[in-house]
Amino acid sequence: MTTLLFETALLPDGWANNVAITIDADGAIAQVEKDAEIKGSTVVTGAALPGMPNLHSHAFQRAIAGFGEVSGPEQAGAEPDSFWSWRKIMYGFLASMNPEDVQTIATKLYVDMLKAGYTTVGEFHYLHHDINGSAFADRAEMSNRVIGAAENAGIGITQLPVLYNYSGFGGQPANDGQRRFLNDADGFMDIVSSLHKAHADSFNVRVGIAPHSLRAATPELLNEVISALNSIDSASPIHIHIAEQTKEVDDCLAWSNKRPVEWLLDNQDVNERWCLIHATHLVDSETDQLAASGAVAGLCPVTEANLGDGLFPARRFMDKGGVIGIGSDSHISVNMKEELRWLEYGQRLFSHERAVLSGGADRSTGRNLYDAALAGGTQACGRPIGALKVGNRADIIVLDCNASPLYGRAGDGILDAWMFACDTNPVRDVYVGGKQVVSGGTHSLDEMAEADFQQVLSRLMDA
Ligand SMILES: [Zn+2]
């Protein structure tokens, strides 16, 4: 048992001072005491918060961040730059990434996530096969690399192997750029069951699944895999990309006469176990039904802005009791504050109002956003995290409040100052399962992870 004493901390029932958190040998919180005796103990100064889950990540895409910002050539009849032109660049890069490259990129990314205050990642992992599209002898090779990166960096992970077998609605054949993603039900369940077996006793690893989208999995495939999954773990998380693009909505209507979220709600038992990533394009009835389902809306505001996806109706959804969480998705930015800030700013720009997602009169927007993203991220990752309480993992971040704009702030004001006024990163210390992985803003792998990442990037750019 070790005990950490925090000057101030956000607990499930609010802010408290002199908080002693006792952590057991497995990294779980064994006791929480407010107004603890500080005599003889070293107090961790600053503000302690539950670490934030980053519920949606495609780790390998970090290598591409910033490469898709040049507009395409001007040609008669050319489509404007969009998600689809960005996807072409992404497919080009991953054509030459080997398992070591993916592990190197993921390690660097996860170190950066920890420094940003994310203590768990939901890895939506679809790069399963070798460069030529053939399966590795161990079909879970690539997933193992990503989990290895998480373990090395010290971040908790919910690994979500992606079910991907088609290129469009109604089972259209996959294209060459997608050959590394493809699995039938048996091949896919090989990966899932081997990961379940390997990590059954792991405190920091959970395994779920992620049907890529209604474009990439037919209804039959979806049913077959979910029923196989239920025989292994009927509570494990299910994530799916759902309505990121208007083209996706149009194609779904043409195929089924229903919009994607409408189709999913009508054809699957969508409940707390589900996380719908980019439920961006919704009509009001879908928004209300999705909120009532208890599923998480997995929002990635910075990536969605970067890709020109559209704006999720967050106000209506949250007013109806909908659960949200955040993810950094393409990793164009790895910055929790940016995700929450742009979630709120998108709504402000649209509604011409302020404090749109504060959750009611006289409430802090920063606090409400932080609480909401903690709850939804925890639910989506299916792990005991997201609150500093007995039984949960001791995943704790500490903000340095000695410099402006956090200086002199207290309670929810700290979160408001961080979300809306900070241009630097105030995350000073990070603990995952009670183990300190970031100290004074640095991670022990900083230099090595950066050097290795640069080497891989140089090679990929030359490829
Ligand atoms: Zn995604």
Side-chain angles (χ1 to χ4, degrees):
M1 294 271 190
T2 52
T3 299
L4 297 168
L5 188 62
F6 296 99
E7 184 181 35
T8 183
L10 181 60
L11 302 180
D13 59 352
W15 291 93
N17 293 329
N18 295 329
V19 175
I21 298 183
T22 303
I23 302 158
D24 71 18
D26 295 329
I29 297 174
Q31 194 185 354
V32 180
E33 190 189 352
K34 298 178 195 174
D35 301 316
E37 179 78 50
I38 57 168
K39 212 168 66 183
S41 305
T42 311
V43 179
V44 180
T45 60
L49 300 159
M52 180 63 72
N54 182 340
L55 61 68
H56 191 63
S57 162
H58 307 289
F60 74 88
Q61 291 182 9
R62 181 58 173 168
I64 306 156
F67 279 90
E69 306 301 327
V70 178
S71 56
E74 210 170 293
Q75 292 167 346
E79 289 284 316
D81 291 288
S82 68
F83 167 87
W84 308 103
S85 56
W86 170 86
R87 192 177 76 160
K88 211 182 273 180
I89 296 168
M90 187 261 285
Y91 280 8
F93 250 90
L94 64 81
S96 49
M97 270 185 208
N98 64 37
E100 292 78 19
D101 296 340
V102 169
Q103 184 160 359
T104 299
I105 295 163
T107 301
K108 166 68 177 150
L109 171 70
Y110 294 158
V111 165
D112 289 345
M113 277 191 195
L114 287 164
K115 290 163 72 177
Y118 293 119
T119 46
T120 276
V121 57
E123 183 62 42
F124 198 106
H125 175 80
Y126 57 91
L127 194 55
H128 297 299
H129 304 317
D130 209 343
I131 288 165
N132 63 8
S134 62
F136 290 104
D138 176 356
R139 293 184 80 90
E141 164 78 16
M142 287 296 230
S143 275
N144 288 330
R145 293 291 186 157
V146 170
I147 294 170
E151 289 176 333
N152 206 13
I155 196 168
I157 187 166
T158 295
Q159 179 71 1
L160 303 154
V162 169
L163 174 66
Y164 199 124
N165 212 24
Y166 303 99
S167 72
F169 290 93
Q172 296 167 39
N175 64 46
D176 204 38
Q178 295 160 340
R179 66 182 183 267
R180 303 188 70 181
F181 316 155
L182 309 179
N183 280 299
D184 60 14
D186 289 344
F188 179 71
M189 286 312 296
D190 262 2
I191 297 174
V192 175
S193 47
S194 112
L195 293 177
H196 262 278
K197 218 174 285 167
H199 301 286
D201 301 323
S202 171
F203 292 110
N204 282 338
V205 181
R206 179 86 201 257
V207 179
I209 66 162
H212 178 272
S213 56
L214 298 178
R215 289 180 270 129
T218 56
E220 298 74 28
L221 184 60
L222 209 53
N223 287 337
E224 194 177 348
V225 162
I226 291 172
S227 113
L229 175 71
N230 286 345
S231 66
I232 302 175
D233 179 355
S234 61
S236 70
I238 304 174
H239 292 212
I240 186 169
H241 289 141
I242 194 69
E244 181 171 11
Q245 295 292 314
T246 50
K247 179 182 184 309
E248 190 171 19
V249 177
D250 294 343
D251 290 353
C252 190
L253 279 164
W255 166 66
S256 67
N257 226 6
K258 288 180 192 277
R259 303 168 57 83
V261 170
E262 180 188 12
W263 187 94
L264 194 73
L265 290 166
D266 285 354
N267 288 279
Q268 287 292 334
D269 178 19
V270 176
N271 54 29
E272 289 77 7
R273 184 184 182 190
W274 285 75
C275 177
L276 276 61
I277 306 293
H278 311 306
T280 310
H281 298 287
L282 299 172
V283 295
D284 287 352
S285 56
E286 289 175 300
T287 307
D288 299 353
Q289 283 174 44
L290 181 58
S293 74
V296 179
L299 309 177
C300 310
V302 177
T303 294
E304 287 157 8
N306 183 265
L307 294 176
D309 289 345
L311 197 62
F312 175 77
R315 171 186 252 174
R316 184 180 181 104
F317 184 75
M318 291 172 77
D319 282 351
K320 298 275 177 179
V323 184
I324 61 132
I326 52 162
S328 57
D329 190 7
S330 70
H331 312 302
I332 185 69
S333 149
V334 181
N335 188 324
M336 182 207 313
K337 164 205 75 193
E338 289 293 324
E339 301 296 344
L340 294 173
R341 184 185 283 181
W342 280 100
L343 175 56
E344 167 69 18
Y345 278 179
Q347 304 299 312
R348 290 188 189 189
L349 290 164
F350 182 76
S351 68
H352 309 168
E353 293 175 37
R354 301 186 68 253
V356 178
L357 303 178
S358 65
D362 218 13
R363 291 177 53 144
S364 149
T365 309
R367 170 71 186 278
N368 197 49
L369 287 170
Y370 202 83
D371 280 352
L374 274 179
T378 297
Q379 185 179 317
C381 290
R383 301 189 49 241
I385 52 174
L388 303 181
K389 64 177 189 185
V390 172
N392 271 8
R393 305 293 299 154
D395 291 1
I396 305 164
I397 67 171
V398 186
L399 306 183
D400 182 350
C401 299
N402 282 327
S404 62
L406 268 59
Y407 175 77
R409 304 302 301 268
D412 295 347
I414 294 169
L415 289 168
D416 284 333
W418 181 20
M419 293 308 144
F420 298 106
C422 251
D423 292 318
T424 52
N425 179 14
V427 177
R428 190 192 62 213
D429 302 319
V430 177
Y431 303 80
V432 176
K435 185 172 171 234
Q436 186 161 12
V437 287
V438 173
S439 174
T442 65
H443 187 290
S444 62
L445 295 183
D446 271 340
E447 278 178 34
M448 198 170 72
E450 173 67 19
D452 292 350
F453 180 80
Q454 287 185 10
Q455 219 169 32
V456 167
L457 195 61
S458 301
R459 198 173 53 68
L460 291 175
M461 285 193 296
D462 289 345

